Amino acid sequence: MRQLRGQERAITGNRQTSLAFAEAYGAGTIDDTADAALHWSRDRAREAGIRTVSTGTGSALSLLAATADAKAVAEIGTGTGVSGIYLLHGMRPDGVLTTVDLEPERQQFARQAFRAAGFAGNRARFIPGGALDVLPRLADGGYDLVFCDGDRMEYADYLAESLRLLRPGGVVCFEGVFADGRTVDSGEQPAEIQRLRELLRSIRESTRLVPSLLPVGDGLLCAVKRA
């Protein structure tokens, strides 16, 4: 038993080391100009008390946007532009990111960050407002990828809108589904965590989606809309 416990500790330690390596692997995969803009954007986020996507999550978003050959992406939660830089990096050169946020001031930071990263002004469309007010105005089937990083209490509603917005073969992603480990904690949890668990279950059980939960950052839940 003592030997087995030692092996378990080694396995756990190796797994943590591997996850840390995977998280850091995406660093340096974008050019120096965009990397400087990312650092600037992260600094603005820290000053505003906003959490941003991790390097691993960002590189996953770039990969997914590139895999989808994304020309049109919708983002819920502009923040200061960190996730937007990663998405634009993976999108087609003529692609347009439509990004929604309740705080126009944050979108101004994102606008500066995108420009500093080398993206032309017409590569992003900024829409201030609540996601559930804005999303119904976007075109059915007009998007290759939808990235959700807004109010977790509204994630189920974002899913319903995403299924309408996405073309067949399009991708929807939800950031932060681990909720700092609370999602898998067996103890009593607030309503927000219950909503995340319901989201995980509904996506996994949906016949319209092919899902995967990526262990990057605070958990990135992804699903492809079946044709």
Side-chain angles (χ1 to χ4, degrees):
M1 179 64 72
R2 186 178 297 112
Q3 181 181 5
L4 180 58
R5 287 175 178 170
Q7 289 174 344
E8 289 174 347
R9 282 195 295 271
I11 290 170
T12 301
N14 289 340
R15 183 178 293 116
Q16 290 172 342
T17 301
S18 297
L19 289 174
F21 178 75
E23 183 67 35
Y25 183 75
T29 57
I30 60 177
D31 60 58
D32 291 342
T33 300
D35 191 51
L38 277 174
H39 283 293
W40 182 87
S41 185
R42 289 190 190 280
D43 286 343
R44 303 292 79 74
R46 274 192 293 272
E47 292 168 359
I50 305 169
R51 291 182 64 164
T52 64
V53 298
S54 70
T55 301
T57 299
S59 61
L61 291 175
S62 293
L63 171 70
L64 291 167
T67 301
D69 193 28
K71 184 176 182 179
V73 172
E75 176 185 46
I76 302 168
T78 310
T80 56
V82 174
S83 53
I85 290 174
Y86 282 112
L87 287 165
L88 285 165
H89 178 68
M91 293 170 65
R92 289 168 45 167
D94 60 344
V96 176
L97 173 69
T98 298
T99 183
V100 181
D101 201 290
L102 276 170
E103 303 291 341
E105 298 83 3
R106 297 175 185 174
Q107 291 188 318
Q108 290 305 315
F109 285 131
R111 193 186 302 273
Q112 293 178 54
F114 294 171
R115 185 165 54 248
F119 299 112
N122 63 359
R123 293 291 311 279
R125 177 171 63 147
F126 297 89
I127 305 179
L132 297 183
D133 295 323
V134 174
L135 294 178
R137 308 202 305 260
L138 303 184
D140 292 9
Y143 293 83
D144 305 296
L145 188 152
V146 178
F147 174 57
C148 306
D149 190 14
D151 186 346
R152 291 170 181 166
M153 292 292 287
E154 296 180 345
Y155 269 12
D157 298 306
Y158 299 167
L159 174 61
E161 286 294 330
S162 297
L163 288 171
R164 179 184 61 79
L165 294 173
L166 288 171
R167 61 164 174 82
V171 182
V172 61
C173 302
F174 293 87
E175 162 64 3
V177 296
F178 288 166
D180 295 319
R182 290 178 296 162
T183 303
V184 296
D185 191 326
S186 59
E188 186 174 350
Q189 297 294 340
E192 176 185 282
I193 306 304
Q194 298 300 329
R195 292 289 183 90
L196 286 176
R197 290 171 177 170
E198 291 168 7
L199 176 75
L200 285 157
R201 183 165 49 251
S202 64
I203 287 181
R204 184 177 61 188
E205 295 175 354
S206 173
T207 58
R208 302 177 63 186
L209 296 167
V210 180
S212 181
L213 177 55
L214 306 183
V216 291
D218 196 25
L220 185 65
L221 176 61
C222 307
V224 176
K225 180 180 177 181
R226 291 185 184 274

